[in-house]
Amino acid sequence: MSKSQKIRKVSFEVLRYDPDQDSEPYFQTYEVPCQDEWVILDAINYIKDELDRSLSYRWSCHMAVCGSCGLMINGEPKLSCHAFIRDMPDHIRVEPMDNFPIIRDLVVEMDGFVEKLADVKPYIHPKEERSIDDGCHTQSPEQLLDFQSLTQCINCMLCYSACPQVALNKDFIGPAAMALAHRYNLDSRDQGREVRKDVIASNKAIWECTFVGACSEVCPKHVDPAAAIQQAKIAATGDYFKSFLMPWTKKNKGNSEGEKS
Amino acid sequence: MDKKEQGQFGRRKVMKQSNGNYIRSTAKFSWYLKKPKYIPYMLRELSSLFVGVFCCFLVWGLYQLSQGEVVFNQWLNVLWNKLFWLNIVIFLFVFYHSYSWFMVTPKAMPIKFKGKRIPGWVIIAAHMIMWIVCSIVIFALFIYGA
Amino acid sequence: MNVIECDVVIVGAGGAGLRAAIEVAENQPDIKLALISKVYPMRSHTVAAEGGAAGVAKDEDNYDNHFNDTVSGGDWLCDQDAVEYFVHQAPRELTQMEHWGCPWSRQEDGKVAVRPFGGMKVERTWYAADKTGFHMLHTLFQTSLKYPGIERYDEYYSTELICQDGKCHGLTALDMRTGQMKFFKAKAVIICTGGAGRIFPFTTNGAIKTGDGMAMAYRAGVALKDMEFVQYHPTGLPGTGILITEGSRGEGGVLVNKDGYRYLQDYNLGPADPWPRKKAMELGPRDRLSQAFWHEQKKGNTVETDFGDAVHLDLRHLGEAKITERLPMVRELAMSYMSVDPVKEPIPVRPVVHYTMGGIDTDINTATNIRGLYAAGECACVSINGANRLGSNSLTELLVFGAKAGQKAAEYIAENNNDAIDNENLMAQAQTAIDRVMNLFKHKGKENLVSIRNEMNTIMEAGAGIYRDEQSLKQAIDQMTDLKKRFADIELVDKSNVYNTDLIQALELGSMIDVARAMAVSALNRKESRGSHQRLDYVERDDKDFLKHTLAYYQGDENPTLDYRDVVITKSKPAERVYGGKADE
C-alpha cells in the first residue's frame, strides 16, 4: 500500500460563545489542512491543539459509541467522530446541537435530556422474585431480537436536534426516551408497561409525535425511534380500548403489544 | 484568524431564553421550509385536510343521491364542470395520502414470520396491491352500475 | 467555600463506579451518596469495551479452570486469594446484570451464550453481540436511575483528596460548567476513575482515560502498584487506535503477515491447526501476540499502511452471515475508519495500548492504606490481573470489585461515626487544594500544553513500549523529570470560567505526567521479563527476586521511591506459561 497523504485545505466556520465575555454567539473561521481519512473531530482537535486553545467541545471514544460528540455539521446533526470530511465540501459550518441551550461554544446543556430518560423508568420491573441462585432468565434469540435494535441507543441526542417537535415543545419527552421505554416494554423479562404508561401514553410523549421521522434518519445506530413510537401508539390505543371494553384484563400485563409471543 | 466575523453562512439562528441561556432552535412556524426533506412530511400532513374535504364531498353526494336521480346527476355535473380542478387537487392529495402512509406502514408493523422479521418492502407491496385491487373492484362496480 | 456534605463520594461513573453506587443505594438507602464524574456516566470508557465478561458458565468448566487461566495469564503476579474470590463472584455478578436487563447474547435454548477468548481453556466469556461494555454500562446507568439516593454530579473534575490522620475526609472538585471549586466533605471515598492509556500515543483509550484518580490517590500517599505493566491489545486500527475486539479472533479470525503467513506459530503459540483452538495461536494471551508483532516488525514482515506498520486480521473465511450476527460492530468500524470491508478484505491491525494492569494499591477488600479510601476497576490494582490481563476479565472485575467497594465503604461508615475531626484543618487543606487549581489557572509562563503532551507520548512509547531496556528507561525517566518541571511553567490560553477544557486538559496532563513517571521508574527497577513487561536486557522471568509487586510512592518533583511486596501465592506455584499445542498435553 502506497503512502498517500492527500491534504485538503478546508475552512471551518465554528460557532463560539463564552457567557463570561460574549453578549451573544458569533462565528469564527479556521483554515485546517485535513488528511483524507479525517473526521470532523480530527479537524476540531487540530483547531484546539494548533490554532485556538480556547475552543470547548465534548468528545471521548472517537468510535461512535460514547455519544459525546454530537454537533450540527452544515446544518445536519452528526457525530463529529463519524462525519467523514472526504464526503464534505471545502467550507464546513460547525455548530452546537439544535434545541439545547448552549453552555459554551459547542457544548450544550443536557441535563433536561437525562431527566427525560429517567422519567420513563428505564429499568427492569421484574415479573417475579428471582434470586441470583435462581440463575438467569431464559430468553430465546428471537425474544432478544424483538428489542435488540432498541438497545443500541448511545444517548447522543442527535434525534432531539433533528426533531421539529422537540424544537416546538420543550416538554416533549423526545425520541430517545420513548425508544428506551419501548425497549423495556418489549423485553421479555420486564413487566413495567403499566408503570410507564402515565408518562408514555401522554400528550408530552407519544401523542406529541407527528411521525416526521427525522429522528430515525439521523440516528447513527439505526435504533429507529420513529418506529418504536408508532408501535407504542398502537399499543397504547389497544390498552385504552381494552381497559373499558375488557376491564377484567386490566390486571394482566402484556409485554408486547398485541404481538404473538 | 479574525474574531467576530459574520461568516459567509450569514444568519445566526440562536435565540436568547428568558434565563439568559442561548438556545439553538428552529422553533418558528416556517420551520419546515428550512430543509427540503421536511416538505414531503408537511404535504402528507396537509393531505389529511383534503381527505377530510373529500369525505364531506362523499356525504354531500350521498345526500344528493337521496334526493333522486335528477338532482344527483345535476350534482355530478357541478363536480365535473365547475369543481373539476378542485377535484383533481383533492384526488392527488388523497392519492399522496395513501401512498405516503403505506410507505411508512412497516415502521408501525413489526410482523414476524417463523421467527424472522418480514422485510419492509413486502408489507408495502402487500398494501399497494390491496389498494390497487380494491380500486379496480370499486371502479368496475361504478362503471358497471352506471 | 462551597461545601457539600455527604457520606460516600464515588469518583467516576463507569462500570465500577455505577456498580458501587448501586450497591450502596440498594443496601443502605439512608446513606448520602454523591456520584461524581468528569463526564456523563454513559460516556465513561466502559462503553467502548467489546468482547465480553468472563464468568464460569458451562457444566464442563469450573472455578479452578478460571483461576488457573487467570493466574498463568498474569504470569503468576496475581494475588491468588483475590483471584479465588473473583472467580467465585464472577458468575453471580454477571447473573445480577442479566436480572437488571443486560441483553446477553443467547444460545438456541435461551441460556446465556459464552464465547472463547484469549488465554482461556474453556469458553466462559459472556457477551452481548460485540458491544458488551456498552450494554453493561447502559444497563448499570439505567438501573442506577431507580435509586433516588444516588445524587449525581456530572461534569465535575475531582482534583485532590483531603485526608487527616490517615483517614480520608473527602475531596475537592471543579464544577466544569461554572469553574467553581467545591469541597465534598465525606466519610468515605471510592475511586473508580479508570486507566491511563492516553499517556501513550497509540491507544484504544478515549480522551478521558488520563489516570486522574490514580494520580489523586498517589499524591495523597497511596502507592501505585505494578505500574510497569501496560497491556498492548494486539488488534487496534492503525492511526486511530480503535479497538478491534478479541472476539473477532474468538470467532475464528486469524493474524497473517505480509506474506499471508500465520506468523504466531513461530512464537510458541502453534501449531496453526486445528483452528480455532483455545489458548493457541490467535487465542493466545495479549502480551505474547503484541510481542510477536514487534518481532515481525523487526524482521520486516509487516504490512506498510498510511499509518505505519501493521499485520492483517483476516475474517473473510467466517462468511458474511456470521460476521453480521456476531461481529457487526467490527465490520462497521473497519468500513468507516479504514475503508475495509472484512467480508472481502483483511483488516490492517497493530498493537495499541489498551489497559493499565497497575494502579492504586488496594487489598482484597478494595481498601487502600488510607482509612475510608477505596478503589475499584481499572484504576485499582488488587491485583487479579498480575503482569498481563486476560481479555474479558476486566469487565467482570468492575462488577465484582465495584460491588465490594460499595459494600465495604458502607460498612466503614456504619462503624466509624464518632471520631473527632479537626474541621478547621480540613477546611484549610481544601482551600490549599482550591488555590493550587487557581494558581494553575492564572499562571503566566512560556510552556505549551500540547507540546508537552506530545513529548510525553513520544518519550513513553520509545522508552517504555512493548520492549524496554535499561538505557531506554533511564532516558525516559530523565526526560519525564524534565517534563514535570516544564509543566509547572504552562500558561493557559483559555481564561474563561465556563467549561474551560484548556484547564481540564492541563489538570489531566499533570495526572498523566505523575503516573507516567511511576510507570517508567517501576519498569527500570524490575530487572526481569514477565507478562507485558519485557526487557531486552533481562529476558527471563526471575521468580527468586521478582515474584513481588512494585509499589511506587510519590515524591513530588523527585522521582518516586519504590518498595516491594510479595505476591500472595496459594494454590498455583509459578510454572511455565504454556500456550499453543503444548497446552493440550
Side-chain angles (χ1 to χ4, degrees), chain A residues 13 17 23-24 26-27 29-30 93 95 98-99 101-102 146 162 164 167 210-212 217 224 227 231, chain B residues 1-5 7-9 12 22-25 27 31 35 37-38 41 44 101 104 107-108 110 112:
Chain A
E13 205 190 336
Y17 173 57
S23 59
E24 54 176 20
Y26 61 95
F27 281 95
T29 306
Y30 306 94
R93 194 169 81 249
E95 298 161 295
D98 271 358
N99 305 336
I102 306 176
D146 275 345
T210 57
F211 201 178
V212 176
E217 274 172 37
D224 205 352
Q231 289 164 36
Chain B
M1 182 178 66
D2 306 299
K3 287 200 92 149
K4 300 198 192 299
E5 280 174 15
Q8 62 196 112
F9 290 90
R12 307 168 210 155
Y22 272 92
I23 189 167
R24 302 228 355 117
S25 185
W31 63 268
K35 284 192 193 148
K37 70 168 158 196
Y38 288 144
Y41 159 75
R44 187 191 81 202
W101 278 109
V104 294
K107 296 241 182 205
K112 289 200 298 196

Side-chain angles (χ1 to χ4, degrees), chain C residues 44-65:
Chain C
S44 305
H45 204 61
T46 309
V47 83
E50 295 172 7
V56 168
K58 288 197 163 278
D59 293 330
E60 60 263 33
D61 198 7
N62 57 51
Y63 296 124
D64 279 339
N65 281 337

